[in-house]
Amino acid sequence: MTVTTSSDANGNVSAATARATERAAESAAAAAPQPVTFAKALNTALADALTASDDVVLFGEDIGTLGGVFRITDGLTARFGEHRCFDTPLAESGIAGMAAGMAMNGMRPVVEMQFDAFAYPALEQIFSHIAKMHNRTRGALKMPIVIRIPYAGGIGGVEHHCDSSESYYAHTPGLKVYAPATVADAYRMLREAIDSDDPVVFFEPKKLYWSKETLDLDALRQQYDDGADASRSEGRAVVARQGTDATLIAYGPSVSTAMAAAEAAAEEGRSLEVVDLRTIVPLDDQTITEAVCKTGRAVVVAETPGFASVASELVARIQERCFHSLAAPVLRVTGFDVPFPAPKLEEYFLPSVDRILDAVDDLQWEA
């Protein structure tokens, strides 16, 4: 006869408790924030926008079954159908023109230009019609169009695949220009762009597609759907890093470079503040001005060639608004005024930590 002892009973209870604890831990781990890529955040934002409104439709070159060159639309055709996410011919002007017509008839088109400079054939449609239609019709016709453009360097591409073309669009009245730099902003800014009644050119830094942040996408979605004010990014720059000696102003792919430069400067005893613009149009002058007036010195960092660029506009506005607080002229670290170079020369063209630190050294530190 087998007698169950109190120790056996306790052992059974302990084993059951251990299993329950293990299952609870697994559930908690599954529910905890997970590493999310920039690309996944964009894909999720598109899926959520398609779910939220039947008026949202995606199209572009190879974005259907293939899911796009960078797989940003991966799985969306299978999930939502070919009438919501579909391929187009290789005709960027036609893509933009079709988007304008669909927007005039109540749709919310989200189009993808496969690479930055591939969008140039569409500029006539974008500049002459998409940007101007709302004003031309005295507000009768809205243009809720998002033009997604994978852009900038850092992937070893060649010209037409790594251009920073944001200055063309920022110069055109009637267009908004977004350039997210973080995974969380990739999600919320794309949702915000799709919900806008104005045309938005949405620049996606290619080198950040596979960058990761640990975050809770479900919570981010809930925050956005609840309309939380903190989730809004349009015209709201953020101070990505606090500092006291000088301010770096950057957007899109240059933010991570500026952050690395600030980290390197800290090791040398210099405290740099970093401002992430998030949206170029509209521009958050207030945050820029406050940050520069606090430190008295500023460097603008951008991949675009510097002549007649977003960077030069930022320098002009800072000089106008912060002149009496400046201890040195505002400097720029940008791409050079040449076509985007061959892959082996890319590192010399793009703003780097060393070039930024050299510019900071030139901010007239001697009394």
Side-chain angles (χ1 to χ4, degrees), residues 70 114 122 209 238 246 272 282 341 345 347 365:
F70 298 100
Q114 199 167 69
Y209 272 146
V238 293
L272 301 183
L345 299 175
E347 62 178 301
W365 296 94

Side-chain angles (χ1 to χ4, degrees), residues 19 29 52 62 71 87 124 132 160-161 173 187-188 205 215 244 254 268 280 288 297-298 324 350 360:
R19 288 194 294 272
D62 295 326
R71 303 297 187 268
D87 293 331
E124 196 279 328
K132 294 177 172 60
H160 271 70
H161 294 72
Y187 176 85
R188 57 188 160 218
L215 55 81
T244 56
S254 297
E268 300 174 357
I280 299 169
I288 298 170
R297 293 176 170 85
H324 294 291
L350 297 174
V360 172

Side-chain angles (χ1 to χ4, degrees), residues 162-290:
C162 290
D163 283 17
S164 290
S165 51
E166 65 272 22
S167 300
Y168 303 136
Y169 302 94
H171 181 71
T172 303
L175 298 176
K176 294 178 178 176
V177 181
Y178 290 13
T182 68
V183 174
D185 270 354
Y187 176 85
R188 57 188 160 218
M189 289 177 66
L190 186 51
R191 290 292 309 274
E192 197 170 342
I194 295 171
D195 284 344
S196 174
D197 285 337
D198 301 313
V200 177
V201 183
F202 194 88
F203 283 100
E204 301 170 3
K206 294 191 293 289
K207 76 172 186 180
L208 298 182
Y209 272 146
W210 309 117
S211 63
K212 294 180 180 178
E213 289 176 27
T214 299
L215 55 81
D216 187 340
L217 270 178
D218 291 335
L220 201 59
R221 176 188 299 112
Q222 190 64 51
Q223 183 186 46
Y224 183 83
D225 290 342
D226 288 345
D229 189 60
S231 70
R232 302 302 173 187
S233 59
E234 186 177 293
R236 294 182 177 183
V238 293
V239 176
R241 179 187 175 105
Q242 296 282 348
T244 56
D245 295 333
T247 303
L248 306 179
I249 298 104
Y251 56 88
S254 297
V255 173
S256 57
T257 310
M259 293 290 282
E263 188 68 29
E267 295 176 0
E268 300 174 357
R270 191 164 277 166
S271 173
L272 301 183
E273 184 146 308
V274 178
V275 174
D276 173 5
L277 296 183
R278 304 167 94 193
T279 65
I280 299 169
V281 181
L283 182 67
D284 183 357
D285 280 309
Q286 181 176 347
T287 297
I288 298 170
T289 301
E290 290 175 355

Side-chain angles (χ1 to χ4, degrees), residues 93-111:
S93 181
I95 294 171
M98 185 163 69
M102 295 176 79
M104 292 169 68
N105 285 280
M107 304 297 288
R108 289 186 175 273
V110 181
V111 304

